[in-house]
Amino acid sequence: MTDRGTHDRETHDPETGNPWGLDAEEAGEPEMPLSLRLSIADALTLGNATCGFMAVYFTTTGILIPHLTGSDEFGMARHSAATAVILMLCAAVFDLFDGLVARKLRSSPMGAELDNLSDLISFGLAPAYFVLVYGLVADDAHQRVAALGAIVVLLAVVLRLARFSCVTLRDGVFQGMPSPFGALTVVSVVLLELPFVATLLAIIGTAWLMVSRVEYPKPRGPLAVAMLGWIVAAMGLLAAWAFDAPGGQLVLQTGCALQLVLAAVIPLFATARRVNNFRGNRREARAVRLP
């Protein structure tokens, strides 16, 4: 999730986007249809939503329907799973760049709302549905528990996005694991094919991190480049696995395991930094009180 800004209410009308709240005639501009008010950043955001929807589509047509009809083939399911995850990664790329473009070229008044709605589709619905289908395909006895895990993921993203819209934090940080990173972690847990109980606990733990108060840095500068590189590498791992390249399964599992390590280590570093800052502030306060 990126930090798409909104226009200042005192200088821009939320309906027209014109300065000082003037209507189209007073501002000397012709009335424009809604479609022409979309900015470049908004177009990228809509690409995010489209990728999330198509991820759900491939999960349904390539994994769920063949399983229910008894015509599922391992190769077809593997290709569809890889395609669905790659589409979620593409959504993350769109999400990364729409924020960068919005900061450079500015966004429309709808930008922040479009961003939240698109993130809900791509990083809430799509991974939650992936978890649900995993439970249906893996073991019929675990269907209800898998549904519970999927609901937890979806609600965690909903709560995280709602809080993001209401809470103002210091510049440069998110509160809670960003939803794209959380979605990739959830999908990595599923692809690792751990025992069912371990998979469920890891998914719930990831959902908790998304609604936690742990601070995560926003992807800017070198961090944004590193994130983009990691996404491209993940796409390569998925492609190797989908086409059954030599060692593709092992490479995919290594990448998924690394994703889980990152998901576990980043909160530890963030918490340690917060504790050190707290201790430093207390020492400074004591020094000030000393005569």
Side-chain angles (χ1 to χ4, degrees), residues 204-250:
I204 293 176
T206 303
W208 177 82
L209 285 173
M210 283 193 280
V211 297
S212 70
R213 297 185 181 275
V214 177
E215 292 184 348
Y216 288 76
K218 289 183 178 179
R220 296 177 181 175
L223 183 59
V225 175
M227 178 178 293
L228 181 62
W230 175 242
I231 291 174
V232 172
M235 289 181 179
L237 298 180
L238 286 162
W241 175 64
F243 290 101
D244 200 19
Q249 180 70 26
L250 178 60

Side-chain angles (χ1 to χ4, degrees), residues 88-243:
M88 293 183 213
L89 291 169
C90 290
V93 173
F94 280 119
D95 186 61
L96 178 64
F97 279 101
D98 69 1
L100 297 175
V101 172
R103 286 192 292 273
K104 294 293 184 181
L105 304 179
R106 306 189 69 176
S107 175
S108 73
M110 297 184 297
E113 299 301 327
L114 286 175
D115 192 50
N116 278 350
L117 292 172
S118 298
D119 286 353
L120 179 59
I121 295 172
S122 299
F123 312 125
L125 176 62
Y129 187 69
F130 197 82
V131 171
L132 178 64
V133 172
Y134 157 76
L136 293 173
V137 174
D139 190 347
D140 293 339
H142 295 146
Q143 290 182 8
R144 294 182 179 179
V145 182
L148 175 62
I151 291 172
V152 168
V153 171
L154 180 62
L155 294 182
V157 175
V158 170
L159 291 173
R160 194 202 181 293
L161 294 175
R163 185 177 65 185
F164 177 77
S165 299
C166 301
V167 177
T168 301
L169 299 173
R170 61 186 177 89
D171 188 43
V173 298
F174 288 126
Q175 191 176 77
M177 178 183 287
S179 51
F181 193 83
L184 181 56
T185 303
V186 167
V187 171
S188 297
V189 172
V190 174
L191 293 178
L192 270 178
E193 298 182 350
L194 300 171
F196 187 83
V197 174
T199 298
L200 182 63
L201 291 177
I203 289 173
I204 293 176
T206 303
W208 177 82
L209 285 173
M210 283 193 280
V211 297
S212 70
R213 297 185 181 275
V214 177
E215 292 184 348
Y216 288 76
K218 289 183 178 179
R220 296 177 181 175
L223 183 59
V225 175
M227 178 178 293
L228 181 62
W230 175 242
I231 291 174
V232 172
M235 289 181 179
L237 298 180
L238 286 162
W241 175 64
F243 290 101

Side-chain angles (χ1 to χ4, degrees), residues 25-57:
E25 294 182 359
E26 293 174 331
E29 299 177 0
E31 186 71 22
M32 297 180 66
L34 179 62
S35 60
L36 297 182
R37 296 176 187 171
L38 295 176
S39 66
I40 297 176
D42 295 333
L44 295 174
T45 303
L46 294 177
N48 172 4
T50 301
C51 288
F53 173 77
M54 293 305 296
V56 173
Y57 170 79

